[in-house]
Every structure is written in C-alpha cells, then in structure tokens.
Amino acid sequence: MIFIGNHLASSKGFEAMGKHAVELGGDTFAFFTRNPRGGSAKAIDPEDVKRLQELMETHGFGRLVAHAPYTMNLCAEKPNIRQFSIEMLQDDLKRMEYLPGHYYNFHPGSHVGQGAEKGIEMITDALNQSLWPEMSTTVLLETMAGKGSEVGRNFEELKEIMEKTDCRDKLGVCFDTCHVWDGGYDIVGDLDGVLKEFDRIIGLEHLKAVHFNDSMNPCGSHKDRHEKIGQGKIGMEALKQVATHPLLQDRPFILETPNEDEGYAAEIALIKGWAKDGKR
Ligand code: FE
Ligand code: FE
Ligand code: ZN
C-alpha cells in the first residue's frame, strides 16, 4: 500500500488542508511552507496543528511532504539571493518542528553557469549550516528534470550532496516521476533497471516519497511539464507499475498534475483502485 494525495493550498491552515485531503479521498498531502514565489510565512497556530494531527490519526494518514518555495536557490550566484534562501530554509525547518516527523522537500538549486560541482558544494554548505542532529523532519532532495542549470538532474548529483552533508541521516530523496523521465531515466521501458540504478547509487532506503506525475514530453527532454495521470508520455500502464511496485510501497505519493479538485479526486480513486487489483 502507498499513501496518496495531492498538493493543497495552505491559506486556510493545517486542519483545513487535512479535511480537504480527506474530501478528495487522500491519506497524505503536500503544501507550500510559505508563498511559493515570495518569502512571507504565516505564524503557526499550535491548536490548528493539533487538530490536523488528530484528523491524520483518525484517517490513517502517511507522512506529509511539505514543499519549499520555488524562489529558494541554495546555489544562487548572487550572495544576497543565496543568503535569503538559506534563511528561508532555516526558518522553514524550525517551523516544521511544530508538526514533527514529516518530510520537507526542496529543489537542490540552479547553479546558473557556475557549474554543477560548485552548485553541489554551495548546496551542501547551506545544508550544513541548517540541519541539526535532533531535528525530527527528514529533508528530501527532489530528483530534477535537468532544465536549465538545475542541480540534481541525475542520481549521482543527489548522492554527492547527501555524502557531503554532515547530518546525512536527516536527508532523503523525493522521486518525481515526471522529472526522472524527463531527466533521461526510462521508467516506461525499464522501471526495474532504473530502480536498480537508484539503489546502487543512492540506496532505495533513502527514497522516501514520490511526486507522481505524467509528463508532456519524451524521456530525456529535460522540459519539466507535468501532465495528468495517463495522458502524457509516461502513460497509464507505466505509472501503474510505479505505484504498485513492491520496492516503492509504504511511501507517500503526491500528485502534482494539472488538475482541480475533481480531477485530483478521480486520480486518487484510480490509484487506490490499482492497489486493490494488485492484492487479488
Ligand atoms: Fe518540486
Ligand atoms: Fe515535483
Ligand atoms: Zn516539475
């Protein structure tokens, strides 16, 4: 069994997101820790968090997957942007402790012409300034499509970041199916081979969450355009293989497909149905 949900608006607070997830049939969800484009973060209401925790308990939720703002770039070339990004990361991780034991996913960064090696060095330095041994959150590096100068375009780059970070046990990977496919990993023709490669380079025990998306573009296109489940170039059958793969069970799967509520509810129902077929 996997946990399944989608990315939800956080403007009405934590309990409201939990209720929304339940309405859509989900048992996990994702949310932005703050405005995805700007920098402002709302104060957290501990009572609201408590009500969400009770709801999650009642409905058997899996771990949540918070998403860092897109503006965060830990390897930005401009020192003020990088400093602002590090401060956002540190503030977000402190705030995550109000809701202990979940995932915080971020895009490693874009090196903007400085080169991947320099980018990796800057990212690990930022993580080393921000993670601490007692934190309860696991920070997830997202697999990237390799658009522009994105760091994390292959498993090797993610492994290098993880290896160079001090609090390595606080790090994991979020496997985005659209990004991995766009990055050149053929999860349609050889899913087992891709997972084997992930296991060899990073270790499947570090694959903590999945962003579950179809892709508008062919394998290796480095485009990063998400499509609805079954309507893109990855397709229904391959995505079903991912969601029901024995090595990927017990993890939260987050839909980031171009949908409204109705579309998400339908995708969640579809995916839950696959799990049932699999049991026979
Ligand atoms: Fe993302
Ligand atoms: Fe994603
Ligand atoms: Zn994407």
Side-chain angles (χ1 to χ4, degrees):
M1 267 282 285
I2 58 166
F3 299 96
I4 178 85
N6 60 296
H7 197 107
L8 296 173
S10 59
S11 54
K12 291 187 181 119
F14 287 103
E15 186 191 19
M17 283 193 282
K19 285 183 170 164
H20 194 178
V22 170
E23 266 168 39
L24 299 177
D27 49 18
T28 180
F29 61 89
F31 60 99
F32 283 121
T33 49
R34 60 183 70 222
N35 183 320
R37 317 238 163 245
S40 64
K42 274 199 307 192
I44 290 173
D45 171 6
E47 287 303 313
D48 183 32
V49 170
K50 210 172 135 203
R51 288 192 297 269
L52 170 64
Q53 286 167 323
E54 285 164 5
L55 177 147
M56 288 176 53
E57 175 93 45
T58 308
H59 293 273
F61 271 47
R63 290 212 208 185
L64 307 182
V65 190
H67 200 302
Y70 291 139
T71 44
M72 196 172 102
N73 184 6
L74 299 178
C75 57
E77 193 179 13
K78 292 201 175 96
N80 58 328
I81 297 179
R82 180 160 182 267
Q83 190 51 39
F84 176 66
S85 298
I86 294 174
E87 283 163 17
M88 267 197 298
L89 171 66
Q90 293 177 346
D91 185 46
D92 274 356
L93 293 181
K94 268 186 226 135
R95 290 153 48 82
M96 286 295 291
E97 292 299 315
Y98 283 93
L99 184 65
H102 293 277
Y103 295 128
Y104 177 83
N105 169 78
F106 77 106
H107 297 179
S110 290
H111 63 69
V112 278
Q114 304 176 95
E117 274 313 307
K118 177 82 181 158
I120 288 168
E121 205 179 290
M122 290 169 103
I123 294 161
T124 52
D125 168 70
L127 289 170
N128 284 337
Q129 291 181 51
S130 307
L131 309 189
W132 68 98
E134 301 81 20
M135 66 190 281
S136 72
T137 304
T138 304
V139 176
L140 305 184
L141 302 155
E142 184 167 347
T143 57
M144 301 310 293
K147 181 166 46 88
S149 65
E150 279 173 349
V151 180
R153 63 194 155 154
N154 54 43
F155 301 155
E156 285 83 355
E157 289 186 1
L158 296 176
K159 174 219 170 84
E160 214 181 318
I161 296 170
M162 293 174 82
E163 262 183 353
K164 290 180 174 163
T165 303
D166 298 331
C167 294
R168 212 188 147 174
D169 61 317
K170 302 297 169 195
L171 287 179
V173 172
C174 176
F175 187 96
D176 186 312
T177 51
C178 168
H179 296 178
V180 165
W181 167 258
D182 282 22
Y185 293 97
D186 183 9
I187 57 173
V188 175
D190 187 17
L191 176 61
D192 283 331
V194 173
L195 292 180
K196 204 175 265 176
E197 190 169 342
F198 188 101
D199 194 37
R200 181 174 59 81
I201 296 166
I202 300 176
L204 275 173
E205 69 277 19
H206 300 296
L207 197 168
K208 303 290 191 190
V210 175
H211 279 173
F212 199 58
N213 306 305
D214 210 329
S215 171
M216 287 186 184
N217 294 291
C219 184
S221 61
H222 305 293
K223 286 269 177 37
D224 190 4
R225 299 279 308 279
H226 301 191
E227 182 53 284
K228 293 177 180 152
I229 300 302
Q231 296 186 23
K233 296 279 192 269
I234 301 175
M236 196 70 91
E237 191 45 41
L239 287 167
K240 182 176 174 180
Q241 295 308 316
V242 173
T244 56
H245 200 287
L247 292 173
L248 297 175
Q249 298 307 293
D250 303 319
R251 292 164 171 87
F253 276 53
I254 303 296
L255 295 161
E256 300 175 311
T257 46
N259 276 303
E260 303 293 334
D261 276 1
E262 214 179 312
Y264 284 125
E267 288 185 348
I268 290 168
L270 171 77
I271 295 157
K272 293 229 150 168
W274 293 341
K276 281 192 197 110
D277 304 345
K279 276 200 192 116
R280 273 179 260 265

